[in-house]
Amino acid sequence: MVPIRVAFSPLGGSWARHAAMLMAALLFSAPVAARDPPPISYRAVADDDAVSRHGQPQLRYPRLSPDDRVAPDDFDVRWLEGADWPSDSERLAQLSQNYQPRPAIWRISDRDTTIYLFGTIHVLPPGFAWRTAALDRIVARSSELILESVERNSLRDQAPPATTLPPLSARVGADHRAKLAAFTASLPPEAATLFDQMPSWIASVAISLVRELRSGEVPGPGADDWLEAQFTAQKKRVRAIENSDQVIASVNAVPEVEQQRMVHAALDAPIRSRADLRAATHAWAKGEVGPDSALTIDLAAATGSAALAAPLLTNRNAAWAATLIARMRRPGTCLFAAGAGHFIGDGSLIAQLEMRGVRVDRVQ
């Protein structure tokens, strides 16, 4: 079993994401061995698929407007002691996309209502190409954006909920305490304190994220972030389809033994290569959602037991299907965007809609 990857965690835009990303912020802001090394610098590299702009690698978007560039010009990554950061040429190779992105988009509609369904990745590598002209048209014609949850504050404004849990070190099995202690000892004190207070299933997400950071992965804004920013800038309605606090509560209610298995799996997981870490993201960008897709394989491994799959995926998909069907009673066009994992497999949102007699057409 592979731990949940934040890059496509089934629970995006929630405290799980906030907590894990806050740990990343703490890691990067912490002093490193009494030295303050400079940010990673990118030399200009001649490449057909990339250009160097203000010292940052970016992909060309020949048919799309300049705001399609996902990587902000001021993106700055500090060196982290012990991290195996890729070289400039390696980073450009990781960003290389020898395909035109076409992430999957579906549509449900009737005489006067159209709802587009878009599976997203919540955290993307800076500079990764994913938008298409078709998606731009959908954004332009939609008057409303529906998300899993809506971000309102910065990561550092997000405090963990009050918890009465014992320290994580007391919750894991005796055979995993040495591994947990070694991992915790590698964190700055503030991050270690936060980590020790997390619900077990969220801690497994944080372990996975920290390992990815130390493997040279750089988290950047996700598709949801861009969509929310566009609709907000255009003064279009943006709303959440569910109450994130209720979802968190339902997952926290999963028996501790099940959550403990996730932490054990995260601690036991082998270090993944950068190519392996990117495989699911590339599969998503290509629109590959079949059983052999790296996206599908990663989701099956990440979700683990049925006890966790139900509150993370299946139950939510069923509730969303009912909500979207009710939304069809009102005329207009809107876009629903949620994590790509919700659109894959037997219990997916697509399957839930079709089970209720709704025709779902794939449009990209």
Side-chain angles (χ1 to χ4, degrees):
M1 173 178 166
V2 178
I4 289 180
R5 293 192 59 215
V6 172
F8 101 145
S9 167
L11 195 58
S14 69
W15 189 75
R17 184 183 178 210
H18 291 155
M21 294 301 289
L22 179 55
M23 281 197 66
L26 292 172
L27 283 168
F28 283 118
S29 63
V32 179
R35 60 189 176 89
D36 188 20
I40 295 175
S41 62
Y42 296 98
R43 296 182 300 276
V45 177
D47 188 285
D48 290 338
D49 297 320
V51 296
S52 179
R53 185 171 182 266
H54 302 305
Q56 303 275 359
Q58 295 201 350
L59 301 179
R60 289 193 179 97
Y61 299 89
R63 291 190 292 276
L64 300 175
S65 59
D67 74 333
D68 192 38
R69 298 186 180 96
V70 178
D73 289 341
D74 60 354
F75 190 81
D76 182 14
V77 179
R78 294 277 170 182
W79 290 89
L80 178 64
E81 187 175 29
D84 179 23
W85 293 111
S87 66
D88 298 348
S89 58
E90 285 176 321
R91 189 173 299 283
L92 283 171
Q94 289 172 23
L95 290 172
S96 178
Q97 295 175 263
N98 57 353
Y99 56 86
Q100 290 293 327
R102 290 181 58 83
I105 303 175
W106 295 264
R107 176 183 62 205
I108 59 176
S109 61
D110 59 19
R111 182 177 55 83
D112 58 2
T113 306
T114 298
I115 302 177
Y116 291 97
L117 312 171
F118 180 35
T120 66
I121 297 290
H122 300 309
V123 181
L124 289 166
F128 193 85
W130 60 274
R131 279 177 56 199
T132 66
L135 178 62
D136 283 354
R137 289 192 294 269
I138 289 170
V139 170
R141 67 171 62 115
S142 297
S143 60
E144 178 184 33
L145 173 66
I146 306 174
L147 298 170
E148 294 178 57
S149 64
V150 179
E151 309 270 354
R152 292 302 182 197
N153 302 306
S154 70
L155 285 173
R156 290 188 178 274
D157 294 333
Q158 299 290 335
T163 177
T164 57
L165 290 169
L168 187 63
S169 55
R171 284 178 266 148
V172 300
D175 57 340
H176 282 79
R177 285 175 188 163
K179 287 184 179 180
L180 178 64
F183 177 82
T184 304
S186 71
L187 302 174
E190 191 177 354
T193 299
L194 173 63
F195 178 69
D196 205 37
Q197 298 170 349
M198 290 177 175
S200 300
W201 69 276
I202 297 180
S204 74
V205 177
I207 292 170
S208 179
L209 173 66
V210 171
R211 285 188 165 187
E212 291 184 19
L213 290 170
R214 287 175 172 162
S215 293
E217 279 288 80
V218 179
D224 320 69
D225 299 310
W226 184 87
L227 289 169
E228 183 175 353
Q230 291 297 306
F231 275 74
T232 300
Q234 296 172 31
K235 301 189 183 319
K236 295 180 180 181
R237 187 184 184 196
V238 178
R239 68 181 179 91
I241 197 170
E242 65 188 2
N243 184 315
S244 291
D245 292 339
Q246 293 176 356
V247 177
I248 294 294
S250 68
V251 184
N252 285 342
V254 170
E256 180 62 28
V257 65
E258 297 290 347
Q259 297 190 42
Q260 184 185 95
R261 286 174 184 153
M262 291 185 68
V263 179
H264 292 175
L267 292 169
D268 291 339
I271 301 299
R272 303 173 74 186
S273 69
R274 292 178 187 128
D276 189 28
L277 288 171
R278 289 283 171 89
T281 305
H282 283 296
W284 165 76
K286 294 176 183 178
E288 298 173 353
V289 296
D292 297 330
S293 166
L295 187 66
T296 306
I297 294 169
D298 260 24
L299 179 69
T303 306
S305 70
L308 282 159
L312 279 173
L313 292 170
T314 313
N315 295 349
R316 298 168 73 203
N317 292 342
W320 294 353
T323 299
L324 292 173
I325 290 172
R327 174 61 181 80
M328 293 291 292
R329 301 190 189 110
R330 290 191 287 119
T333 299
C334 67
L335 171 61
F336 173 59
H342 291 282
F343 296 83
I344 296 170
D346 295 336
S348 70
L349 176 61
I350 305 300
Q352 295 282 355
L353 288 166
E354 292 177 337
M355 186 171 61
R356 290 163 172 77
V358 177
R359 176 178 171 176
V360 183
D361 299 309
R362 182 165 174 177
V363 297
Q364 176 169 285

